[in-house]
Structures are given as C-alpha cells and as structure tokens.
Amino acid sequence: MAAQLSPKRTDAVIVGAGAAGNLFAAALAEAGKSVLVLDPGPAWQARDLYSSSIWARRLRWGGPVVESTGGHAFGAGFNMGWGTGGAALHHYGTWPRLMPSDFTMRSDFGKGLDWPIGYDDLRPFYDRIQEEVGVSGDADAEVWRPAGAPYPLPPLQQFAQARLLAKGFHALGMKTAPSPMAILSQDYKGRPACLYDGWCDAGCPTGALANPLVTYHPRAVKAGARFVNGAHVTQLIPGKTARAAAGVEYIDHTGTVQTALADMVILAASTVSNPAILLNSTGGAWTSGAGNSSGLVGRYFMTHSIASVYGFFDGEETENYMGVTGAQATNMDHYGKQSLGSDAFGSLQWQLAPTMKPNDLLGVAMARADLFGAELTAFMERAVHHLAVMFGFGEGLPVLENRIELSDRSGPGGTRTPRVVHTFAPESVKLSENAAQLGLKIIKAGGAAEPWAGPMASAHMMGGTIMGRDARTSITDSFGRSHDIDNLVIAGPGLFPTAGAMNPNFTNHALALRSAEHLVAQWLS
Amino acid sequence: MQTTQAFDEPAPDRRTLLKSAAFGLFAFTVGGGPMMLTPAEARTRGAALAKLSADEAALLEAFGEALVPGARAAGIAHFVDANLARPHSESLLTARYLDVLPPNDAFYKAGLAALDAASRTVLGAPFAQVSAAAAKPLITAMLPGTITPWQGPPPPLFYLAVRSDAADLVYGTRAAFARMQVPYMAHIEPPADW
C-alpha cells in the first residue's frame, strides 16, 4: 500500500459519521469551517433500509471483529453501527434524559464517579436537541422527569401490548408514562409521522425516527462537509509537539494509506473504536497511545444490564409486532440508586412493550432460547399473537477493570483490533436480579399467564474515554477536549463517567451540541 | 391501524411508495452457471456449495431442522453457505451479532464436527441419522454448555447461531409472517422474500 503524496488538509477532520460525528460536522461546517468526515462503512441512504430483521444486520459493525470477553461479555457486534449514521442508524429512538443524581454519584454515595458537569449544564442542550430533531412524549406524565422544556410533540400511539403491561404497574400502585421517543407522532419539520410498523431496528427509511440521515447529516452536507466512506482510520498523526495532532492516517476503500491533515481532530468513531484508535496511535512521544497520559484510555467501559420479563395474555391479541422497537411506555419508580434492595446499587428504567418481530435477537423466537423442535413451533404459534415483554434497564457501575484494550489480532494497516473486557460489579448484577423479580411481580399483577424472566443481557456502550476535571483520572474535560492533546476533541457516549439507566443517545446529542458550539466559539474568537 | 388485513400484501399507503428494486437474491451456481435464487430454491435445484462440504451441509440441515422444524426445506445450509462466502461486512448471519471471531466458516465447520462427534459418542450414530427424540437430550445440553464430549466453539454460541439462522428462514420471511398471520408492513420491501 503506497502512501498518498499530497495529503489533504482541512480545518477539521472528524472520525466517524454517526450521531456525534454528523452533529459536529453540521456545526463546524455551518460555522464556515472546512470539514472532512471519515467513516469505515458504507454511505447508507434511506432506500437501503429494507424492512427485514435479516437484512438489518448489514447496519451493524462490519469492520474487524471486536473480541468480547469477561464475566459478562458485551455484544459489540449487535450494538455498534456500520456506515453513515453509525449505531444511531439502527437505534430505537428511546430518548430519556439522565437524572441529576447520575452526575453526582461519587459525591452522593461514594460509588463510581462524578461528572465534571451537572444536569443543569446539559439541560438547555437537551431542550434544544429535542426541539431540533423532534421528540414525542408527555412530560407531565413522566413524574420522574427532571426539569426541562416539554416535548415538542405529543406521545406516540400505544398498542395492546403496552396497555396490558401497564395494568400490572397500576395494580401495584406504580406509574407508567408514554416513553419519550425521538420518533415523530406528527409530521414535523418536513418529516412524516411514524407508521408504527415496528421496523426501527432495520433503520427507519421514512424519516420518522431521528437517525442521522434525516437530522444532522443533511445539514452537514448542505453546509459543505465532505464525507468519505470506506475510510478506516488507523491512528492519529503526531504534530510538532506531544500536545498536538497533525491529523489522522487512514486506509481508503482501495487499500491505499492516506493522510488527512487538520487543525482540529474530532474523534467520534464509537465507544469501542475511539479508544482503539487512541491506543493504536503510538507515534512520536505517544508511546502508550495518544491522549493516554493517565493510562485510562479504554477504562471504565460501561453497559446497561437488561432484565427481560415475559408473559402471555392468551385472551388478547397483544399486537406485539406493532409499534416501535424501543418502548411504548416507561416506569422509573426505582431510579433511586438504592431503591432495589441493600444488596443492589444503581438506577432502573422499565421499558414496556417493544415491538417483537418473530425472528432475530430481540424477536419472539429468542424469548425462549431454550426451546427447539416441536415445542418451539407450539410456542411460536402462541407467542406471535399473545406474548408481551418489558425490559428493565439497569445501571452498570463504572469499574476500572472493564475496558477496551487492544488484542493480539492484526487489523488494517498493522493496527491491533480492539477487545472489550466486561464484568458487571456484584451490586449491578444484584440490581438486575432484583429487577427481574420485581418485573415478575408486576406482570403477574397485570394478569399475564406463565410469566418468566430471561437471562440477564446487556445493551448500550458508554465510558472508555471518560470526561473529568483531573487529567490524572480522566481523558477529557467536559467539552470532550483531550487533557493531553490541545487540538483533539472526543465525542460520543464514551465520555460518560456514569451510565445511569437511560438510553444514551439523547445525552450523546446534548453533549455533542454543547461541545461543538464551545469549539466553534473558541475557534471564531 | 392495520391489523388483520391481507397479511401478505403491503398496506396501500406510504409503505408502498418506498419500494426498492428487488435485488439481492443470492448467487448460486447451478449446472456450472450462476443463478440468483432463494436458499430454498438453491436447495431444491442442488446448487453448488461454496464453503461447506456436502456432508457438512447435510449435518447443518439435520441440526437446523431439529432446532426449528422447516429449516431444512427453507434452505438453511445454502443460506449459511452463501453468507459464509460473502465478505464479513455483507454477511446476514446472526453470528455477526454474536461476536463470532473470523473466519466464520471455521466456526460452523468446527461446531458441526463437534456435534457429530458428540452424537457418535453419546448416541452411537452420526447426528444426521438420529431421530428428533433421540437427539433431544444432546441438544438440550448445548445451551447450558453441559454437552460432552465437545471439542469446538462454545456450545451455547453455536446453538444460538444455528438456531437463529433456522429461525430467520422459518419465521423471518414475508411468507412466514403470512403463515403466522402477522402483518409484514414493510416500509421498503426486502429483496427476495425476507
């Protein structure tokens, strides 16, 4: 592979065309900056988003396979994105805000970490993002919700599955509210309302769900940002001093090594790929990786536990194939960090009635993975019309030993591929176990037959490049600026010092907007 | 709201406006020439296999059928084989979600060999020749990982991967939705029948 002789130079190079990368690209390009966005995957368009759980797999990570190990190995292949839109292209649009208590866990409980900012710092950005992309919900019904502007759109329609599950909560004196969703309940800013066909997992081609193809990507393109797909970034290139990056090296779709020089480097690849790129960047004085003077690049990787609770409503058509893949309703009565028993710790968020198609990892057939043969056939005939499910998302504590590191396997351009090592803390495991028991009690109270809880699972990727006030204990400041490299900004949920129990993409957007605007303001001044 | 109308017909609204060209059938070699076929058609027409041997394909069909009845006729062996022949980034197999380390054909081959060896040891016959009833204890021991002997990929992982492949073909296609009276409601019609 020959290196290109005349490297390109732009004001900013952005690694990754996912949610944060596109938002940064739009903000910087609209501020008049020249922007190059590099992404290893394809340039998806809406017409590529087939309504099929099978074809949806093309939207998941298609680069060098990420090894996953530890006591509770994390499903990187399922959670990571591939191509323009990133993981947000196939995400489900469940957009709750973090709670104030998520930002001060160390101070409040002596566990985990504190954020360098509080909820009030992010609140205006949550408010602006929900207005820009369109979030549907009922702020008043969400009695747990922190202060903030009401949603710009009324809640999404609910179907039988949600109504049936809600009965159990109400029977126990618990509340439910429409889940806050970045899916349009009404036509909004030129995008159409949701059709409730439940294909969110396969990508939403109508534009009802706020994936980057219909939110910040068009703005970035219109403002002149240049997107190059099939570009696998291998490392940051050292600048004149250890505190400067000259740009990035990447391998293009032909296999040629290319160099992109820039005044600013925005690393927005993914929670897994960002630390992998930093750790593979060992040029110049960066002997232990770029931005890694603390030795904490890759550390404090977090995910959410999932307690899945199922039951049959035989006398009802649950319409479990209708709605949205995320959730129709929510409950956060046990969001308090110590509300699920003295042996557990962390927050819990219930998500009721996600769409289940018959096949796939979150589909009906997988609800009883132990069944096969004639028993599976009988189960399917019953379940596709009468099964209901709810997921309890539990907070995974930040643990130093949970990490993204480099494996011994060779990746593109002589890099080493990433490996995710993950084991839930004991109190996080207990949280999920207690949530499952609570869920069984709830679903029984609602009249479900033969309820059961599935094995603990996990979803969402956070941490690995955490923000903080101290360069010795974190990778970036609250704006994602590297403590070590002056012209490096990191974006994405990898910045989160704690995970809360909330789906991360709303907070990802709010942080990215705050960081991008700060960067623009600094730059223009 | 659409509920129980013609299950195999798209609703006459925005969904139909988003139809894409129907491409993407798998390329199989039949009689020395390439043809675009569904996995079921490929099986019926005896299409050549790219990665799996005939014995491995027969074993995969037997295992898939034992897990999800209907998988054999739906063409599980040809479905898996065609995807194994694709670049990883274009694979449609659930193995992609399960972080199966490449090469994926080695994963399937090793898993099938381990299953067959376990069957010969425990049941005294190749897996493809044992009845569903006889195979049940062996298969039941895969998900908890207690199957012995086993020399291959983690048995739960192999079980879940093949079970998902089989479920894709038996329950994940447009025809399967129609059979189960589940409305498909495509925004964009998938290539072929899934």
Side-chain angles (χ1 to χ4, degrees):
Chain A
M1 294 181 289
Q4 191 188 54
L5 295 178
S6 54
K8 308 169 187 72
R9 181 169 194 92
T10 52
D11 292 330
V13 60
I14 298 174
V15 183
N22 273 292
L23 193 154
F24 265 91
L28 297 180
E30 288 171 354
K33 298 299 180 185
S34 60
V35 175
L36 172 67
V37 184
L38 303 172
D39 191 280
W44 299 119
Q45 298 184 46
R47 64 171 180 261
D48 300 318
L49 305 178
Y50 305 146
S51 300
S52 161
S53 299
I54 302 172
W55 288 89
R57 290 170 196 147
R58 299 173 308 153
L59 308 182
R60 265 45 178 229
W61 180 244
V65 172
V66 176
E67 280 187 52
S68 198
T69 185
H72 305 101
F74 176 74
F78 182 69
N79 284 274
M80 293 172 69
W82 179 240
T84 302
L89 187 60
H90 59 74
H91 92 301
Y92 303 161
T94 310
W95 278 31
R97 301 169 183 226
L98 284 176
M99 298 283 194
S101 61
D102 294 322
F103 295 83
T104 56
M105 197 164 73
R106 182 77 191 174
S107 296
D108 295 344
F109 299 100
K111 286 182 180 290
L113 302 166
D114 281 348
W115 290 54
I117 53 175
Y119 173 77
D120 288 341
D121 296 299
L122 270 191
R123 174 185 166 180
F125 298 96
Y126 279 126
D127 289 348
R128 286 175 52 200
I129 289 285
Q130 71 176 22
E131 180 68 26
E132 287 185 7
V133 309
V135 174
S136 303
D138 184 340
D140 292 334
E142 282 180 57
V143 295
W144 324 272
R145 187 177 186 258
Y151 299 111
L153 291 164
L156 296 173
Q157 183 180 341
Q158 294 192 0
F159 296 86
Q161 188 188 182
R163 292 193 293 272
L164 291 164
L165 288 169
K167 286 197 306 182
F169 285 86
H170 300 160
L172 296 180
M174 300 172 73
K175 307 168 191 72
T176 61
S179 193
M181 305 298 292
I183 300 176
L184 306 181
S185 57
Q186 300 173 351
D187 293 356
Y188 189 73
K189 296 188 176 180
R191 291 162 45 205
C194 179
L195 298 171
Y196 303 105
D197 291 346
W199 288 115
C200 318
D201 176 78
C204 177
T206 72
L209 191 151
N211 74 52
L213 296 186
V214 294
T215 56
Y216 294 96
H217 184 66
R219 279 177 51 180
V221 171
K222 185 178 180 184
R226 179 171 172 243
F227 287 75
V228 175
N229 290 82
H232 188 104
V233 172
T234 52
Q235 62 175 325
L236 273 62
I237 301 168
K240 291 179 181 174
T241 72
R243 291 199 62 86
V248 301
E249 178 187 274
Y250 67 97
I251 297 174
D252 70 15
H253 70 286
T254 70
T256 304
V257 178
Q258 302 274 10
T259 298
L261 302 179
D263 293 339
M264 286 297 307
V265 176
I266 316 293
L267 206 50
S270 76
T271 295
V272 171
S273 296
N274 279 350
I277 292 169
L278 291 172
L279 292 172
N280 271 306
S281 303
T282 54
W286 300 336
T287 53
S288 61
N292 195 26
S293 66
S294 63
L296 294 177
V297 166
R299 295 284 174 164
Y300 297 111
F301 172 80
M302 294 169 285
T303 184
H304 292 134
S305 62
I306 302 178
S308 51
V309 179
Y310 302 86
F312 287 108
F313 291 89
D314 288 312
E316 307 269 0
E317 168 61 71
T318 57
E319 301 173 307
N320 56 30
Y321 42 79
M322 295 289 295
V324 293
T325 311
Q328 296 183 44
T330 186
N331 167 279
M332 300 177 194
D333 283 353
H334 293 87
Y335 205 85
K337 304 292 183 192
Q338 296 176 312
S339 63
L340 267 182
S342 58
D343 52 354
F345 185 86
S347 296
L348 175 71
Q349 177 210 174
W350 284 110
Q351 294 186 358
L352 286 63
T355 296
M356 287 181 286
K357 299 299 183 183
N359 62 321
D360 207 28
L361 224 50
L362 298 180
V364 175
M366 199 57 90
R368 284 290 306 272
D370 59 317
L371 296 182
F372 60 89
E375 291 178 354
L376 175 62
T377 302
F379 171 81
M380 290 298 292
E381 288 175 359
R382 180 186 183 192
V384 292
H385 292 288
H386 302 296
L387 186 62
V389 63
M390 56 191 204
F391 293 133
F393 282 78
E395 177 169 18
L397 286 174
V399 176
L400 178 68
E401 290 75 20
N402 287 337
R403 62 195 183 274
I404 295 112
E405 62 184 13
L406 299 182
S407 75
D408 296 328
R409 301 174 71 89
S410 296
T415 57
R416 289 157 60 198
T417 61
R419 172 169 50 216
V420 181
V421 182
H422 179 261
T423 303
F424 279 114
E427 52 265 68
S428 302
V429 173
K430 201 64 192 174
L431 172 72
S432 192
E433 291 173 352
N434 293 353
Q437 292 306 310
L438 173 63
L440 288 170
K441 190 176 168 187
I442 293 168
I443 204 166
K444 281 180 193 169
E450 303 168 38
W452 75 94
M456 184 176 74
S458 62
H460 307 141
M461 310 177 290
M462 295 146 289
T465 51
I466 62 166
M467 60 166 64
R469 291 193 178 91
D470 191 333
R472 294 167 300 179
T473 56
S474 59
I475 307 303
T476 79
D477 68 9
S478 72
F479 295 103
R481 296 180 302 190
S482 165
H483 290 308
D484 297 346
I485 300 172
D486 295 328
N487 64 335
L488 171 64
V489 172
I490 300 173
L495 297 171
F496 297 8
T498 63
M502 304 302 199
N503 310 56
N505 207 17
F506 196 6
T507 303
N508 176 34
H509 276 76
L511 279 178
L513 180 61
R514 180 174 181 270
S515 298
E517 291 193 341
H518 179 79
L519 176 60
V520 168
Q522 294 281 307
W523 214 336
L524 297 181
S525 66
Chain B
M1 188 185 75
Q2 180 187 9
T3 52
T4 55
Q5 65 186 45
F7 294 113
D8 54 354
E9 294 294 330
D13 55 18
R14 281 203 300 273
R15 297 176 190 109
T16 57
L17 302 179
L18 289 166
K19 275 187 177 179
S20 68
F23 62 92
L25 296 172
F26 289 105
F28 291 97
T29 301
V30 180
M35 295 186 72
M36 303 305 287
L37 302 169
T38 67
E41 291 168 342
R43 179 179 187 274
T44 302
R45 302 178 75 141
L49 296 158
K51 292 288 185 179
L52 300 175
S53 69
D55 286 347
E56 288 166 340
L59 183 52
L60 181 55
E61 287 187 346
F63 185 38
E65 182 71 18
L67 292 174
V68 185
R72 175 183 280 118
I76 182 173
H78 285 83
F79 175 71
V80 170
D81 183 78
N83 276 290
L84 292 176
R86 292 178 157 201
H88 173 71
S89 62
E90 296 173 21
S91 171
L92 304 180
L93 298 177
T94 306
R96 185 168 174 166
Y97 287 176
L98 300 177
D99 298 327
V100 173
L101 293 176
N104 280 188
D105 55 338
F107 169 79
Y108 278 91
K109 287 172 180 285
L112 291 168
L115 176 65
D116 202 45
S119 178
R120 290 173 191 268
T121 301
V122 177
L123 305 176
F127 185 86
Q129 294 177 15
V130 299
S131 68
K136 188 172 182 180
L138 201 66
I139 298 173
T140 301
M142 292 184 75
L143 188 58
T146 56
I147 183 172
T148 55
W150 185 268
Q151 287 190 313
L157 189 63
F158 184 64
Y159 168 92
L160 290 172
V162 177
R163 186 179 180 277
S164 293
D165 298 334
D168 280 346
L169 294 178
V170 176
Y171 297 119
T173 66
R174 173 178 275 285
F177 276 53
R179 188 181 71 245
M180 293 183 287
Q181 297 197 321
V182 173
Y184 197 89
M185 304 178 296
H187 291 306
I188 293 182
E189 295 295 332
D193 63 345
W194 57 74

